[in-house]
Structure formats: structure tokens, C-alpha cells
Amino acid sequence: MNGDREARMALGVLVEPGSRELGQLVRAEGAPVALDCVLRGVGVSDYLAGAVRARLTSAGLGAGPGVAARIVEGMTARADRLGARIVTATDDEWPPSLDDLVSASREGNMLRRDTDPPLALWIRGAGRLGDVLERSVSVVGARAMTAYGEFVASEFAFGLAQRGWTVVSGGALGVDVTAHRGALAAGGPTVAVLACGIDRSYPTANAGVLERIAEEGLLLTEWPPGTNPHKTRFLTRNRVIAAATRGTVVVEAGSRSGARNTLGYARLLRRSAMVVPGPVTSAMSVGCHVELRVPGTVPVTRVDEIIEEVGPVGELADPIQGAARPEDVLDPLQARILDAVLPRRPRTAEEVAAVAGVSGREARRNLPLLEELGFVVAGDAGYRLAAGLDVPRPPEDG
Amino acid sequence: MNGDREARMALGVLVEPGSRELGQLVRAEGAPVALDCVLRGVGVSDYLAGAVRARLTSAGLGAGPGVAARIVEGMTARADRLGARIVTATDDEWPPSLDDLVSASREGNMLRRDTDPPLALWIRGAGRLGDVLERSVSVVGARAMTAYGEFVASEFAFGLAQRGWTVVSGGALGVDVTAHRGALAAGGPTVAVLACGIDRSYPTANAGVLERIAEEGLLLTEWPPGTNPHKTRFLTRNRVIAAATRGTVVVEAGSRSGARNTLGYARLLRRSAMVVPGPVTSAMSVGCHVELRVPGTVPVTRVDEIIEEVGPVGELADPIQGAARPEDVLDPLQARILDAVLPRRPRTAEEVAAVAGVSGREARRNLPLLEELGFVVAGDAGYRLAAGLDVPRPPEDG
């Protein structure tokens, strides 16, 4: 019983998910050695050693030499009884997207200290996890949603499922369960990522839907059976929702909504951070609008716009009335800067500034925007005009 | 009768406002010479000459040598009868902000060809135009507003007026007149910029409010008395609304709303382009949301946020729950780039890239964002850390 997979399973029971200390140890020494360390309380922090001891005691597992094997045996039997399976990074169906949490953790995550990837997932449902998540979007939001949020969550999830996208959410009351239901209604797979044991139907009101999700999609959690949800677990869980999907859509969110936390993880992981605007008179849209003011957040109003964000290049939303016309976008300064960019020979921002007769600062600020709009291309040697670009040039004035 | 002021007055009657050709001629030769040219049809395009001839004929003004004097005399008498005055760029109360339209026109305006500043304004109301517009915001939107738009326009205009800001709008049905009414209710000045003669109460339904605006604020127009509104005049008029104010707020807008045109002018003139989000289910917010997807557009949900945009530095909105926390904003790449910026010695984007171990392209894309967020300052020699910046640095990892 020193296999990598079994060690990960045991560690998933012994240590609260997300631990950066444990994740670093596993990556440095391998899971079997890490398991040995935490069981013996050697080479780990007092905090981690104490937490593991306390868990062994409270679970009545003792601390003898065979404890790891007993845990794995118990987990396997329990999974069988619950119609669940346990998946770790050693399994084929493990979604590589979750491993992005490693670098998020390593690079100094400012949202939360312990955001390491899960070590083991408990799963109910027939689909292979990695496949089901291949084209997925999370749709999350307030528990106390309004009729507006219910309508939008339902429509968006239905539309995403119809277009072949898996809708991921947290199985909670409000926007979450409405999104799951919308996807189920379209006959699409949906994934509920829980913050409690796979045997807990939490919240009770959603027991029926959660059961349907297990039949038609996937229920999954990092916590072993018997674990109750609590606030910090919801926050820990949110990193998985964000990491598992190509982008997160917040439908409605009050100013302290947990959905904002999920959106923060999406940004941290460089996934699309999308927000549905709502009435400025609604407390359930306050969090959405605060997020909308964060640079890079994309407002989405239709399923097409979500798919344009997360889909492969080419799946563009039909523009509404030529929305993104360059003439709506470029101001005179930008137009002048664009005029100073050549089709072939790259120019640095400073050269562009000199030719355009603008300050270096103005050129440096606007060239990335022109790049984003597709007017210029940035290479290692500087900026040049995008290929095939036909910028409308104003006639020369006297 | 060859004074600059009189010539501008006469030209304002003879030529449809906004003419770039006329504006260039006035700037190159002065208004008196320009007037002589258009009257004699010399040194101007056939189009302009023909338009002036047609106008002289239809107004029964003839073409004799005294025509300009007759026009000015008639205008002055008419203004007196209407309780109006005529203001040109030669008058003290002329708002310099309108002259920004010169560069917008010169730099190749892609929204509309003829966006030169007005030559003469007809004004009713006691306040001096330049003073009334000193701290002003335009609040515009759909004629076919919903109850939501009515609520927001009314609240925002009331709040802006209470805080000492002049609300400028177009006097139209819907959002415009609601904004005017909201400002009047707070006892603040409000300015209606019309697309017809100052003697026309258009739309008729707003006659009472327009009269109140003339008493408490200012009614103004570029068109001489007797001019009827039509679609192109609304579009021409919109440039004045955008230029006269520090920013434009679109409250509700269908996909083809003229308010989007005003917002386009605001961007062109480097004024704040602000949009009120609304329900994605509302056709009257479709235009708002399309605009919101244009980079640089600011979503606003409260009066405080509008004032933060257009007010002097320091008038910041109270954050909602620490909305703009850096940890919500920076992704790992940006954090790494920020780490490579020094407090004192400026580094170029390329030096930052080398130190951070990222590509030059990544550095060039993210440094302007970090600058916008107030983390770095850009000077001629490159980027350095903003003064007093206390970036939360993650503890070093092994």
C-alpha cells in the first residue's frame, strides 16, 4: 500500500483540501513519502501534523503502521456502497485543467492561501470527468436570486447545454441549482461541485436535482463521505469550479456573494471572468457591477457572447448592429498612433511615438489597446499593422 | 458690418451647422472673409455655394451687398422678441470645451464628417453659458424608456444636481426630459441642447418643461428660429452635448438609439463614456450593453461613480465592500511583472520583461494596466513603482 494513487486517496481524507504545504510536499517527494511524513509528523509543520493527528483520533483510526491501508480500504468500500468512484491525478479521466491550481498557488495567490489542486475527487455519474469538462462553463450566483436571476440562469444554462457546453455550478440554492436545472432541461450534462461529502444531499431542498445530476451528469467533491459543508469549504470548493471550466459567468451577486470569490479564482487562473449586468436598482446585481468595473471583466448578455469568450476562435457572436466598428472605438489620438504603425517593418512604441508626434507614454498606453482591437500585431521587435487591415483613413486636411 | 461676431452670426444662419469646410475657411481666413466667400460663391465648394444660394433664395434675402447686415439685423431683432441672446466664440461666456470639436473634426472623425464647433448659439436663460457648463455631465438615453430608465434618469439627475453638477441633455421625450426634470426638482441648473429653432417647443409634450428650463437653466441651439428638427440635426446636435460636458451617461438605449451616437462623440472627444447597465432581458438596455463591451466604457450604477469619473481627482466614490482590491485585480503574470518594477529607477518594458522572465509582449500589454490601477508610474525613461505603494507580496516559496 504505497502506490501513488492510494497515497493520494489517504491524504485526501487526512488533510483538509487545498493545503499548499501538503501540495508542495507531494510535488517534491511524491505522494507516498508525503503520506509517511504526515502520518509520522516528520518534515511537516506542527500545524499540519496536529491537524492530521486530530483527524486520526476523531475518526478512531488509531496511528499504527497499517492506518493508511485501512483508510484506503474503508474509502473504497464506502465509495462502492454509495455508487461513487475516487479519481486522482494518476487516473486517465483526471482533468488537466485542475493542475493550473498549482501555479496559481505557487505564484502567490492573493485570494486565499490554500488553493492547491484537489488530491482526490469523489465522483458519482457515468461520464469521464476530463471529457465532461472539456467544453465547460461555470454559471454561478446568489442564493437569494431574484426572478431576473432565475430567468437569466435558466436561459443561459439551457442555451449553453443546447450548444454542447457542460454547465458547472455549486449545487446551491438560487442561481446554482437553476443553472443545473436549465442544463438538465436541455438534455445536456451538468456538473455539481459540492463542498461536503458525496453522501450529503445538501441543501436538502436540492436533493432531487442532485440525484438527477448524478444520473445525467456528474456530482463531485474533494471531501470524504460524512463531511458537512461550512463557509470555508465553500470558498475552497470555488477554486475547483473556476479551474475546471474555461470561464465563469456570474448571473446575480450581492456585494458579499461567494460567486465573486469564484470569479476571482477565474481571473487568477486566467479564465474568462464574465458578468451578467442587471438593474442598478437591484441589490442582487451590486456584486456583478462591482466586478464589471474590474478591468478585463466581460459583460455578457447572451449565450452567444459567452461562447465567443470561451469557445475556440471563430465561434463569434453575431454582432448587434455592428457593435464593434472601429469608428466607435478609436479616438483621434489612437487613430494618429495607428497611422504611425507600418504594415511590415515593426516599430517600437518609442518610434511610433516619434512618428505620430505623441508622447512615449501615450503610445505605450494605446498600442496594447490597438493590438487588442486587432489593428496592430506585437512581435519581439515591436508593433506592425495587422495583416489585411483596411483602416478607414480620413482624407488629408489642409 | 464686418466684425468677427456679426460674420459668425450670419454664417450660422447661412450654412447648416457643423460644416467642416466652413470651419476650416473661418479658421484660415477669419469669419468676415469666410462670409464674403460663401456669399459670392468664391473659394468654396460648389456644394457649399449652392447651399448658401438656396438658403438666401428660400429666405427671400436676395443676394445684394447688404445681405449680411440684413441677416444680422433680423437675427438681433428676432432674438430680442424671443427673449434670447446670440453667443459666438468671440463672447466671454463661450465655453472653450466646444472648441475641442475642432481637433475632433481635423483629426479625421469617423462618426460623421461635419462636426465642426457651432459658429453661433441661440440661448435662453440667465446663466452665463461657460459657467453653467463648467461642472456638467450629460445624461441621455432612449425616447421609449422603461420604468427602470425613468427611475434611474430621475435619480441620477437629481443626485448630480444636488452635488452641484449641471445636467445637460437633449430635451427629447423619455430619458432626456426625465433627466431635465430630475435636475429641476433638485433646484439645480439644467441645459437642454435643441436640434431646432429656439422658438420651437419640440416635442410639444415637453413645452412646459422646456419653458422651466429657460427660467431655471439654459435652452440653447445652433439653429436659427423657425428651424424644424430632423434626424440629421439630432445627430449634429449630439456632438454639442458631448463636447459641452465632462462626460456622457447613457441611461437606456435600444440598439439604434441616438444616445449611442452621443456616447461615440464623448469617446472621440476623450470625455468619459459612461453607461448604466440594465436587465439583459430589456430591449432598452441592449444598446447600453453593446457599448459596455467597447474598451474604456465605464459602467456606472450610482451618482458617486459618475462624479468619480468626471470630477476632480479626489472625488472618489465610496468603495462597495473594497471593490477595487488589488488581489481582485492582479493575475499571477501581472503580479510577477509588478515585482520587476523598481521604486526609483525607471525600467523600460523590455527590461521589466527580462527581469520578470516574461515576454516583451506580455510586459507591454500589462504595464499600462498596472499603471491604470495605480501600481506603476510611467515616465519618459520607463516604468517605476507608484509612490507609497504597498503591494502585498506573497511569501517566497521553495
Side-chain angles (χ1 to χ4, degrees), chain A residues 24 107 110 148 255-256 267-268 280 290 293 299 321 323 327 332-333 361 364-365 371 379 383 397, chain B residues 24 107 110 148 255-256 267-268 270 280 290 293 299 321 323 327-328 332 361 364-365 371 379 397:
Chain A
Q24 286 169 356
E107 296 210 36
M110 299 183 214
Y148 172 65
S255 64
R256 293 192 167 279
R267 280 193 199 103
L268 188 72
V280 299
V290 171
R293 293 167 67 85
Q321 313 285 7
E327 53 266 55
L333 179 75
R361 177 194 159 99
R364 281 194 305 269
R365 285 182 77 103
E371 185 190 0
Y383 296 90
D397 275 6
Chain B
Q24 287 169 355
E107 295 209 35
M110 299 184 215
Y148 171 67
S255 64
R256 292 193 168 279
R267 279 194 199 101
L268 188 73
R270 318 202 76 187
V280 299
V290 171
R293 294 167 67 86
Q321 312 286 9
E327 53 266 56
D328 284 343
R361 180 193 156 100
R364 281 195 303 269
R365 283 182 79 104
E371 186 192 359
D397 276 6

Side-chain angles (χ1 to χ4, degrees), chain A residues 27-28 34 100 125 131-132 189 224 236 263 278 284 293 296 333 377 389 397:
Chain A
R27 285 189 290 281
D100 291 352
D131 297 346
V132 173
T236 302
L263 199 71
M284 281 301 117
R293 293 167 67 85
L333 179 75
V377 176
L389 176 69
D397 275 6

Side-chain angles (χ1 to χ4, degrees), chain A residues 122-350:
Chain A
W122 296 70
I123 300 183
R124 284 184 64 199
R128 287 166 54 90
L129 183 60
D131 297 346
V132 173
L133 292 176
E134 174 67 26
R135 275 163 65 97
S136 66
V137 179
S138 59
V139 177
V140 298
R143 286 178 172 74
M145 68 175 172
T146 68
Y148 172 65
E150 181 163 24
F151 178 85
V152 172
S154 186
E155 285 281 303
F156 281 18
F158 187 93
L160 285 166
Q162 264 194 325
R163 302 271 296 266
W165 286 80
T166 299
V167 173
V168 176
S169 196
L173 295 174
V175 167
D176 283 18
V177 72
T178 304
H180 290 307
R181 272 203 208 99
L184 288 170
T190 183
V191 176
V193 183
L194 307 177
C196 57
I198 199 110
D199 57 333
R200 288 282 190 271
S201 278
Y202 178 88
T204 320
N206 290 351
V209 180
L210 294 174
E211 205 52 43
R212 282 270 296 150
I213 295 172
E215 288 160 14
E216 304 286 328
L218 295 174
L219 271 189
L220 70 90
T221 180
E222 307 169 65
W223 285 272
T227 310
N228 289 318
H230 64 60
K231 185 168 165 60
T232 64
R233 290 196 173 123
F234 290 119
L235 297 175
T236 302
R237 179 272 317 265
N238 289 345
R239 80 196 194 292
V240 175
I241 294 180
T245 56
R246 297 216 207 149
T248 293
V249 179
V250 177
V251 171
E252 274 193 322
S255 64
R256 293 192 167 279
S257 172
R260 294 183 59 189
N261 171 257
T262 310
L263 199 71
Y265 282 122
R267 280 193 199 103
L268 188 72
L269 293 157
R270 317 201 78 185
R271 312 284 197 259
S272 287
M274 293 167 279
V275 160
V276 179
V280 299
T281 47
S282 167
M284 281 301 117
S285 289
V286 166
C288 289
H289 295 146
V290 171
E291 295 294 342
L292 206 46
R293 293 167 67 85
V294 176
T297 311
V298 177
V300 289
T301 68
R302 299 177 291 147
V303 169
D304 280 0
E305 292 171 354
I306 298 171
I307 294 175
E308 178 175 320
E309 268 296 301
V310 296
V313 176
E315 286 202 47
L316 293 181
D318 291 333
I320 299 179
Q321 313 285 7
R325 290 177 306 166
E327 53 266 55
D328 283 343
V329 178
L330 294 191
D331 64 29
L333 179 75
Q334 290 159 349
R336 206 202 284 177
I337 291 169
L338 183 57
D339 268 336
V341 180
L342 299 174
R344 282 169 215 279
R345 194 171 65 74
R347 279 179 168 164
T348 66
E350 289 68 23

Side-chain angles (χ1 to χ4, degrees), chain B:
Chain B
M1 203 322 287
N2 258 332
D4 196 22
R5 183 168 193 279
E6 287 71 20
R8 286 170 186 271
M9 286 169 66
L11 287 168
V13 169
L14 289 169
V15 180
E16 191 68 19
S19 165
R20 181 156 71 163
E21 182 185 351
L22 178 60
Q24 287 169 355
L25 190 59
V26 167
R27 285 189 291 281
E29 307 290 343
V33 171
L35 175 60
D36 194 51
C37 289
V38 302
L39 282 174
R40 295 195 295 132
V42 171
V44 296
S45 68
D46 290 349
Y47 171 80
L48 185 55
V52 169
R53 261 198 316 276
R55 199 163 282 204
L56 285 169
T57 308
S58 72
L61 285 161
V67 63
R70 284 199 303 279
I71 291 171
V72 171
E73 206 173 296
M75 283 174 77
T76 309
R78 199 135 181 204
D80 285 347
R81 274 200 307 279
L82 292 167
R85 65 186 182 279
I86 301 166
V87 170
T88 75
T90 61
D91 293 297
D92 284 346
E93 67 173 299
W94 183 262
S97 55
L98 294 182
D99 298 329
D100 291 351
L101 286 164
V102 174
S103 62
S105 177
R106 187 187 296 137
E107 295 209 35
N109 160 18
M110 299 184 215
L111 286 172
R112 197 170 166 73
R113 189 180 158 81
D114 282 331
T115 56
D116 247 61
L119 282 163
L121 293 172
W122 297 70
I123 301 184
R124 282 184 63 199
R128 285 166 57 89
L129 182 61
D131 297 345
V132 173
L133 292 176
E134 175 67 28
R135 275 164 64 95
S136 65
V137 178
S138 58
V139 177
V140 297
R143 287 178 172 74
M145 68 176 171
T146 68
Y148 171 67
E150 180 162 24
F151 179 85
V152 172
S154 186
E155 285 282 299
F156 281 19
F158 187 92
L160 285 165
Q162 264 194 326
R163 302 272 297 266
W165 286 81
T166 298
V167 173
V168 176
S169 195
L173 295 175
V175 168
D176 283 17
V177 73
T178 305
H180 290 306
R181 273 202 207 97
L184 288 170
T190 184
V191 176
V193 183
L194 306 178
C196 57
I198 199 108
D199 57 333
R200 289 283 189 270
S201 280
Y202 177 88
T204 319
N206 290 350
V209 180
L210 293 174
E211 204 53 41
R212 282 271 295 151
I213 295 171
E215 286 159 17
E216 304 286 326
L218 296 174
L219 272 188
L220 71 89
T221 180
E222 307 170 66
W223 285 271
T227 311
N228 288 319
H230 63 61
K231 185 167 165 60
T232 64
R233 289 194 174 124
F234 290 119
L235 298 174
T236 301
R237 180 272 316 267
N238 290 344
R239 81 196 193 293
V240 174
I241 294 179
T245 56
R246 296 216 209 149
T248 293
V249 179
V250 178
V251 171
E252 276 192 321
S255 64
R256 292 193 168 279
S257 172
R260 295 183 59 189
N261 171 257
T262 310
L263 199 71
Y265 282 122
R267 279 194 199 101
L268 188 73
L269 293 157
R270 318 202 76 187
R271 311 285 196 259
S272 287
M274 294 167 278
V275 161
V276 179
V280 299
T281 48
S282 167
M284 280 302 115
S285 289
V286 166
C288 289
H289 295 145
V290 171
E291 295 293 343
L292 207 45
R293 294 167 67 86
V294 176
T297 311
V298 177
V300 289
T301 68
R302 299 176 293 147
V303 169
D304 280 1
E305 292 171 355
I306 297 171
I307 293 175
E308 178 174 321
E309 267 298 301
V310 297
V313 176
E315 285 201 49
L316 294 180
D318 290 332
I320 299 179
Q321 312 286 9
R325 289 177 306 167
E327 53 266 56
D328 284 343
V329 178
L330 294 190
D331 62 29
L333 179 75
Q334 291 159 351
R336 204 201 284 178
I337 290 168
L338 183 57
D339 267 337
V341 179
L342 298 174
R344 280 167 215 281
R345 194 171 64 75
R347 278 180 169 162
T348 66
E350 288 68 23
E351 288 168 340
V352 169
V355 173
V358 304
S359 72
R361 180 193 156 100
E362 286 171 321
R364 281 195 303 269
R365 283 182 79 104
N366 284 286
L367 281 163
L369 176 67
L370 293 171
E371 186 192 359
E372 194 142 4
L373 293 170
F375 291 121
V376 305
V377 176
D380 281 336
Y383 295 89
R384 54 184 179 74
L385 273 189
L389 178 67
D390 187 16
V391 194
R393 298 293 169 102
E396 292 298 325
D397 276 6

